[in-house]
Amino acid sequence: MKSIFITLLMFAATIGAIHIGLFDVISSSYALIFALIILLSAFIFAYKVLGNPFSKDEKNDKEQN
């Protein structure tokens, strides 16, 4: 009974999102531009925090005595 209630609740939420036009906002060109800006800023942040993944780290390749 619990799974039937949750399924009906999910259908109601989806129908409500369609009714208020939520998917129209998500599919607009502004949403694509916003998502690309967020993705680019995440890559820049990761590059600053984690460093360049393609650089060769010579100091870890040599054996330490």
Side-chain angles (χ1 to χ4, degrees):
M1 187 66 181
K2 181 179 174 183
S3 63
I4 293 172
F5 177 70
I6 291 173
T7 304
L8 290 175
L9 189 62
M10 288 173 47
F11 278 122
T14 305
I15 290 171
I18 291 170
H19 181 68
I20 64 171
L22 180 67
F23 298 117
D24 295 338
V25 173
I26 292 173
S27 65
S28 70
S29 62
Y30 297 117
L32 176 66
I33 293 169
F34 183 67
L36 290 176
I37 289 171
I38 289 175
L39 181 66
L40 183 64
S41 62
F43 278 137
I44 291 170
F45 182 74
Y47 181 78
K48 292 207 179 269
V49 171
L50 301 174
N52 187 1
F54 300 112
S55 68
K56 191 161 187 156
D57 194 10
E58 296 292 333
K59 64 182 176 187
N60 286 338
D61 290 340
K62 298 177 184 174
E63 288 186 23
Q64 301 285 333
N65 289 334

